[in-house]
Amino acid sequence: MTKIVIISDTHGSYQPLLDIQTKEYDADYYFHLGDFCIPDYLISPFLAVKGNNDFSTEFPKKKDLIINGFKIHLEHGDNFEFLINKSKYIKKIDPDIFIYGHTHCFSVGTINDKTILINPGSLTQPRDDFLGSYVILTIDDNNKISVEKRHYPFDNNKRDS
């Protein structure tokens, strides 16, 4: 099984990154979808893309990965072409999984009858809940994908890792 932790929009808060790494210590990958607003060296071990508020960073705006045979696309979500026509934009990229942030609102769905669309919401500044959120994406040994929303600060209704 492959476990991927996905966060976004921490806007200068460093402690939550450490908390997530401690709580989700068994993850294979950690993704940050931008607007981290801290020095690049503090992002490790997160693989990150640049958000619209990350002014002095060397991280790319977009990143494509292949994990367990799935093409995964990461970006912040502030791309004009994406905002105007999500379906057309995603069809052009043709990922299996499209992961973005920017809205500070959690969402999961499917677009173009193919692509899983994931937004983890904001870890520290949610606009859709009182608690911040992040996502655990798992790909099991049969390549079945599951997406689980988790809360930060951590709630006691979810299993402890």
Side-chain angles (χ1 to χ4, degrees):
M1 181 176 79
T2 301
K3 177 179 177 180
I4 303 169
V5 174
I6 305 167
I7 68 171
S8 190
D9 296 282
T10 49
H11 290 276
S13 296
Y14 178 61
Q15 187 61 47
L17 299 179
L18 298 175
D19 294 344
I20 294 294
Q21 290 172 58
T22 301
K23 174 80 170 177
E24 308 295 350
Y25 65 90
D26 59 341
D28 298 293
Y29 299 93
Y30 298 89
F31 297 161
H32 196 304
L33 302 171
D35 280 359
F36 38 86
C37 308
I38 58 175
D40 288 1
Y41 71 90
L42 293 175
I43 293 298
S44 182
F46 287 85
L47 185 145
V49 291
K50 181 179 184 173
N52 59 301
N53 289 299
D54 296 318
F55 301 111
S56 60
T57 182
E58 297 300 318
F59 287 104
K61 296 278 291 170
K62 304 171 189 174
K63 182 88 175 155
D64 289 308
L65 308 160
I66 303 291
I67 297 176
N68 292 24
F70 291 99
K71 180 180 178 185
I72 301 174
H73 179 83
L74 309 176
E75 66 178 72
H76 184 59
D78 63 323
N79 177 306
F80 184 72
E81 191 177 355
F82 172 71
L83 294 171
I84 293 301
N85 190 332
K86 287 181 176 68
S87 178
K88 183 178 178 183
Y89 180 72
I90 291 171
K91 186 176 262 185
K92 183 172 71 171
I93 297 168
D94 194 35
D96 298 302
I97 305 169
F98 186 99
I99 309 172
Y100 70 105
H102 186 60
T103 66
H104 294 228
C105 297
F106 168 83
S107 67
V108 174
T110 304
I111 194 163
N112 300 331
D113 296 321
K114 173 191 183 288
T115 301
I116 298 169
L117 195 61
I118 302 170
N119 186 323
S122 173
L123 194 62
T124 60
Q125 297 179 7
R127 294 181 181 152
D128 60 347
D129 201 339
F130 292 107
L131 294 173
S133 60
Y134 66 104
V135 161
I136 301 296
L137 170 68
T138 55
I139 305 170
D140 73 13
D141 294 336
N142 296 315
N143 277 343
K144 181 180 177 221
I145 295 171
S146 65
V147 178
E148 179 186 350
K149 177 183 182 180
R150 297 215 179 149
H151 288 105
Y152 182 86
F154 305 117
D155 66 21
N156 292 323
N157 297 322
K158 300 291 180 187
R159 68 168 177 80
D160 285 337
S161 295

